[in-house]
């Protein structure tokens, strides 16, 4: 049973009327657009004929004339409808009946007309002909202004915006700008790497062994091969295989998947750009990274200093470089450089960090850094020289065998990039994998698998290589001044509406009653009206009301002599 609001019913009636007038509300033919709102504004020419298409966003009907706004992918442009310009003969129904009565805000229309400037200087299209291209059956949640200029009824509830991103993009122009900027960022990275002769590649998303990072994978099953497969947690090991195969430099914008928690900076599906370049090391990669980010900032903002949540982040190279042990000592007062696992647990206890038996030395150091240091770092900083236990795929440090040649780029308290001098010693790599296997046996479900084919590839010889992974979602957050990863993903992961925690397990009758109340213009609906609209027998009605009130989803109140229902 689909329950329609009053406005939805009216729009469907208009749809029927349009068909009676012989108007196809969803025509199949190509519409010959030759202009857009941006090109009209930038190359405005009085009297020029244009053909444009978009969504009708506002109307001010004044008898036989009307001003309206059309929105396309470049912005908005004003339209002027005049009855006598549209209806050249005595039949004025196209304006009086179709335009005035059967079109709605949100309808997609095509416009043929000529350009002119109004008396107040507004660039406008004088409509000669309009064509309905798609009838909108639901009203747009457009914000409204009161006489004092105060805006209300904005479409700004995060859950609604993320679930219905299509609506968010229509009614909130800032949102579209964020995603246009995201594309500019990825295009800038491609330009930077392509100019250096690096090759963009694609590697498998379904993997037999989820390698390249320590994380909990998503598991699926391939029916034809009858084997388990994993959504990749990283593409690192495949890209290194290509370096073994002889490519100088390869990069990929990869969708990675990690079956872990969700918060403002984590989504189970996310985008990483990984780059690997032969005959380079992590020192070289630091220089490349700071030059890349400086390049992106200039492309997006025209300068290296960008605003973020009231702070100014400066991406001008060079960036500070500090070892992980030094920064831990700086912010905690503990020198843990030579601490063993037991000593590290004591430090964690002193700092109020929870530990358990599955945590090895690497994870303990990581917890200390993440809990006490990372959030303190605001300006771009390379945290370098991690302990070997934290870096199973990284080359041993040339000056200290307990460390590895690794850095993380931290900006505004978050990791933006992770990079190494890549481990290319197949014997050392096997030992590191075996250490990870021991952690797995202790119960660490994020420990790495042993990838025997990758070890075989290394045995054929991989040149000295440096690699980096940059979190694209977090980089976009920084460059667009957004605090939440959900704001820079078109469709962030969410619990399905049918599994909403409040309504999970409700009967269809109960869900229908909730819809009746929520579709009402008022917060409270007269109980008798809800009962009539629900069309339930007395027995079913009583049972359903008990179900809803038992879950505290509705309440009934008395106003005067009448009973009203509302959602809680």
């Amino acid at each position: 049973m689909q329950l329609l609001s009053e406005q939805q019913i009216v729009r469907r009636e208009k749809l029927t009327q349009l068909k009676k007038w012989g108007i196809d509300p969803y025509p199949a033919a190509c519409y010959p657009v030759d202009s857009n709102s941006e090109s009209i504004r930038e190359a405005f020419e009085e009297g020029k004929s244009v053909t444009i298409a978009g969504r009708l966003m506002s109307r001010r009907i004044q008898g036989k004339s009307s001003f309206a706004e059309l929105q396309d992918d470049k912005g908005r442009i004003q339209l002027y409808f005049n009855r006598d310009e549209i209806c050249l003969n005595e039949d004025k129904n196209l304006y009086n009946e179709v335009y005035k009565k059967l079109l709605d805000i949100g309808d997609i229309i095509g416009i043929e007309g000529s350009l002119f400037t109004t008396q107040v200087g507004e660039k406008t299209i004088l409509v000669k002909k309009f064509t309905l291209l798609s009838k909108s059956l639901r009203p747009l949640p457009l914000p409204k202004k009161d006489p004092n200029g105060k805006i209300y009824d904005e479409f700004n509830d995060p859950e609604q915006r993320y679930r219905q991103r299509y609506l968010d993009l229509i009614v909130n122009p800032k949102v579209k700008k964020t995603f246009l900027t995201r594309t500019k960022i990825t295009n800038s990275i491609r330009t930077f790497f392509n100019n250096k002769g690096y090759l963009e590649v694609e590697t498998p998303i379904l993997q037999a062994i989820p390698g390249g990072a320590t994380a909990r994978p998503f598991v699926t099953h391939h029916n034809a091969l009858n084997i388990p497969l994993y959504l990749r947690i990283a593409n690192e090991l495949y890209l290194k295989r290509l370096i073994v195969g002889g490519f100088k430099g390869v990069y990929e914008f990869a969708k990675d998947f990690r079956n872990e928690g969700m918060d403002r900076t984590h989504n189970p599906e996310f985008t990483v750009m990984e780059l690997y370049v032969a005959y380079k090391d992590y020192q070289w990669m630091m220089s490349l990274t700071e030059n890349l980010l400086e390049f992106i900032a200039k492309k997006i903002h025209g300068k290296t200093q960008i605003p973020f949540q009231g702070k100014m982040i400066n991406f001008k190279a060079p960036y500070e470089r500090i070892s992980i042990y030094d920064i831990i000592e700086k912010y905690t007062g503990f020198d843990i450089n030579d601490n063993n696992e037991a000593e590290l647990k004591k430090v964690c206890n002193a700092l109020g960090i929870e530990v358990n038996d599955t945590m090895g030395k690497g994870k303990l150091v990581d917890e200390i850094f993440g809990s006490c240091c990372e959030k303190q770092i605001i300006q771009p900083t390379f945290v370098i020289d991690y302990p070997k236990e934290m870096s199973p795929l990284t080359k041993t440090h040339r000056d200290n065998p307990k460390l590895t040649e690794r850095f993380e780029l931290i900006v505004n308290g978050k990791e933006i990039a992770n990079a190494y001098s890549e481990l290319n010693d197949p014997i050392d790599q096997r030992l590191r994998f075996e250490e990870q296997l021991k952690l797995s046996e202790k119960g660490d479900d994020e420990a790495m698998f042993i990838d025997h084919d990758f070890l075989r590839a290394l045995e054929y010889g991989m040149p000295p290589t440096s690699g980096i992974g940059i979190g694209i979602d977090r980089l976009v957050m920084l460059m667009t001044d957004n605090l939440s990863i959900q704001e820079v993903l078109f469709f962030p992961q969410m619990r399905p509406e049918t599994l909403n925690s409040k309504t999970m397990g409700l009967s269809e009758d109960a869900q229908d009653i909730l819809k009746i109340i929520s579709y009402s213009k008022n917060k409270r609906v007269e109980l008798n009206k809800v009962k009539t609209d629900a069309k339930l027998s007395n027995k079913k009605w009583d049972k359903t009301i008990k179900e809803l009130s038992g879950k505290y989803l509705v309440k009934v109140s008395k106003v005067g002599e009448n009973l009203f229902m509302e959602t809680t």
Side-chain angles (χ1 to χ4, degrees):
M1 174 183 174
Q2 184 185 14
L3 293 168
L4 303 177
S5 69
E6 186 178 335
Q7 290 191 59
Q8 288 175 283
I9 293 169
V10 169
R11 289 190 179 217
R12 278 165 168 74
E13 289 171 351
K14 290 182 180 182
L15 186 74
T16 302
Q17 290 298 315
L18 285 164
K19 291 177 180 177
K20 287 180 179 178
W21 280 95
I23 296 171
D24 183 353
Y26 306 104
C30 170
Y31 191 77
V33 174
D34 62 19
S35 304
N36 60 56
S37 56
E38 183 178 73
S39 66
I40 288 171
R41 286 191 299 271
E42 290 181 351
F44 187 82
E45 185 181 329
E46 200 81 22
K48 180 183 178 182
S49 295
V50 295
T51 304
I52 188 172
R55 196 178 291 273
L56 190 63
M57 297 300 286
S58 69
R59 284 196 299 181
R60 302 185 303 280
I61 297 175
Q62 302 162 333
K64 70 173 187 175
S65 65
S66 170
F67 281 100
E69 270 189 312
L70 186 83
Q71 178 173 292
D72 62 12
D73 66 319
K74 299 296 183 182
R76 293 190 183 188
I77 192 77
Q78 182 168 269
L79 308 176
Y80 176 65
F81 288 81
N82 183 283
R83 185 180 65 189
D84 296 330
E85 290 285 345
I86 293 169
C87 308
L88 299 178
N89 53 32
E90 294 301 314
D91 184 356
K92 306 299 182 184
N93 284 324
L94 188 60
Y95 180 86
N96 291 338
E97 298 298 325
V98 177
Y99 172 73
K100 287 176 69 174
K101 297 180 181 179
L102 301 182
L103 287 195
D104 287 295
I105 303 303
D107 288 353
I108 297 172
I109 58 175
I111 297 293
E112 296 175 40
S114 59
L115 304 182
F116 76 101
T117 307
T118 65
Q119 291 181 347
V120 295
E122 182 76 21
K123 294 173 181 177
T124 304
I125 303 174
L126 172 61
V127 178
K128 304 285 188 179
K129 181 181 178 182
F130 70 91
T131 304
L132 178 61
L133 301 176
S134 182
K135 180 66 182 168
S136 170
L137 298 183
R138 288 178 181 264
L140 294 175
L142 291 169
K144 301 174 184 65
K145 273 188 183 179
D146 65 15
N148 298 319
K150 183 181 177 182
I151 298 174
Y152 61 101
D153 281 355
E154 289 184 274
F155 187 66
N156 55 15
D157 177 73
E159 182 168 344
Q160 284 187 310
R161 288 180 50 239
Y162 303 154
R163 287 192 189 283
Q164 300 180 75
R165 184 67 87 185
Y166 41 88
L167 270 185
D168 196 25
L169 292 165
I170 293 169
V171 302
N172 292 323
K174 278 186 178 179
V175 175
K176 181 176 280 189
K177 186 178 178 183
T178 293
F179 290 102
L180 291 173
T181 301
R182 182 181 177 117
T183 297
K184 287 179 184 177
I185 290 169
T186 54
N187 285 345
S188 297
I189 295 171
R190 285 188 168 96
T191 297
F192 187 87
F193 289 155
N194 291 345
N195 287 344
K196 294 183 178 297
Y198 305 147
L199 180 70
E200 183 172 6
V201 298
E202 294 180 344
T203 61
I205 292 175
L206 282 173
Q207 300 181 351
I209 295 175
T214 54
R216 182 187 300 164
F218 287 93
V219 187
T220 186
H221 186 83
H222 192 290
N223 291 333
L225 295 176
N226 194 26
I227 58 171
L229 288 175
Y230 304 85
L231 293 179
R232 71 178 167 204
I233 56 175
N235 54 344
E236 176 170 340
L237 302 188
Y238 282 94
L239 293 175
K240 286 181 182 177
R241 286 172 169 93
L242 298 180
I243 295 294
V244 171
F247 288 105
K248 163 187 148 184
V250 291
Y251 72 95
E252 180 179 17
F253 286 88
K255 280 288 187 186
D256 289 347
F257 307 83
R258 297 183 184 177
N259 198 355
E260 298 167 349
M262 294 171 61
D263 57 32
R264 290 194 307 178
T265 59
H266 292 88
N267 193 67
E269 175 184 349
F270 58 99
T271 303
V272 173
M273 189 293 306
E274 292 207 24
L275 165 76
Y276 293 82
V277 184
Y279 308 108
K280 306 299 182 186
D281 67 2
Y282 81 137
Q283 297 286 354
W284 176 90
M285 186 62 81
M286 278 186 256
S287 298
L288 179 89
T289 302
E290 58 197 8
N291 290 332
L292 170 63
L293 291 178
E294 184 178 327
F295 177 79
I296 294 169
K298 287 179 178 177
K299 283 284 187 182
I300 302 305
H301 294 278
K303 56 186 179 181
T304 58
Q305 282 195 313
I306 70 166
F308 186 82
Q309 301 297 307
K311 301 184 284 281
M312 294 301 293
I313 308 292
N314 190 357
F315 284 101
K316 176 72 177 173
Y319 306 157
E320 181 185 2
R321 304 178 186 194
I322 182 170
S323 78
I324 189 169
Y325 284 137
D326 286 346
I327 204 163
I328 285 174
E329 185 173 7
K330 176 180 177 180
Y331 288 115
T332 70
F334 288 97
D335 179 359
I336 63 170
N337 188 46
D338 292 317
N339 284 12
N340 59 31
E341 190 174 308
E343 291 166 333
L344 286 170
K345 286 183 177 178
K346 288 181 182 178
V347 172
C348 286
N349 289 331
L351 294 170
I353 298 169
E354 289 188 18
V355 298
N356 58 59
D357 292 338
T358 70
M359 298 168 73
K361 182 177 178 180
K363 187 158 277 192
L364 292 167
V365 174
D366 194 29
E367 284 293 322
I368 294 169
F369 173 70
S371 298
C372 303
C373 309
E374 195 170 30
K375 292 175 184 175
Q376 314 270 7
I377 304 168
I378 303 304
Q379 296 303 325
T381 301
F382 292 119
V383 178
I384 65 174
D385 299 346
Y386 284 67
K388 188 175 287 188
E389 293 83 356
M390 289 181 71
S391 314
L393 299 166
T394 312
K395 186 169 282 192
T396 301
H397 197 282
R398 64 196 75 178
D399 299 322
N400 185 340
K402 294 181 180 178
L403 303 179
T404 57
E405 297 199 345
R406 172 186 176 187
F407 72 79
E408 286 188 349
L409 175 63
I410 310 296
V411 186
N412 196 54
K414 292 295 177 185
E415 173 202 338
I416 301 301
N418 185 22
Y420 318 142
S421 294
E422 301 296 337
L423 181 57
N424 61 344
D425 178 344
I427 295 173
D428 190 1
Q429 182 65 84
R430 185 177 293 277
L431 292 173
R432 305 274 194 97
F433 277 150
E434 287 170 354
E435 287 299 317
Q436 288 288 305
L437 185 59
K438 291 177 186 176
L439 291 175
S440 178
E441 289 167 353
K442 285 174 66 176
D444 186 346
D445 57 6
E446 294 184 351
M448 285 189 184
F449 291 54
I450 297 179
D451 189 332
H452 292 284
D453 179 68
F454 175 66
L455 291 170
R456 179 169 56 188
L458 288 186
E459 288 173 358
Y460 283 102
M462 184 175 85
T465 298
S466 184
I468 187 170
I470 296 177
I472 296 300
D473 307 314
R474 291 184 182 178
L475 179 59
V476 174
M477 288 167 63
L478 271 175
M479 291 290 174
T480 59
D481 196 6
N482 275 300
L483 268 177
S484 171
I485 194 171
Q486 285 81 14
E487 294 291 344
V488 301
L489 301 173
F490 271 127
F491 305 105
Q493 195 66 48
M494 300 184 73
R495 186 190 297 274
E497 284 181 278
T498 54
L499 297 179
N500 184 288
S501 58
K502 279 191 173 183
T503 59
M504 192 183 298
L506 282 183
S507 67
E508 286 188 19
D509 291 337
Q511 291 184 43
D512 287 344
I513 287 176
L514 287 178
K515 288 177 184 176
I516 292 169
I517 299 171
S518 64
Y519 284 151
S520 170
K521 293 178 182 178
N522 304 311
K523 287 186 178 180
R524 291 186 302 187
V525 187
E526 197 170 352
L527 185 145
N528 285 334
K529 182 180 186 324
V530 177
K531 189 174 182 180
T532 300
D533 290 348
K535 299 176 182 176
L536 298 176
S537 66
N538 288 334
K539 187 176 179 180
K540 274 196 171 184
W541 169 261
D542 291 337
K543 181 181 177 182
T544 306
I545 293 303
K546 283 181 182 177
E547 179 184 2
L548 289 168
S549 58
K551 292 193 174 185
Y552 304 101
L553 292 170
V554 299
K555 66 178 181 179
V556 177
S557 56
K558 190 171 184 179
V559 180
E561 295 299 317
N562 297 319
L563 293 174
F564 288 85
M565 292 183 70
E566 60 185 298
T567 56
T568 57

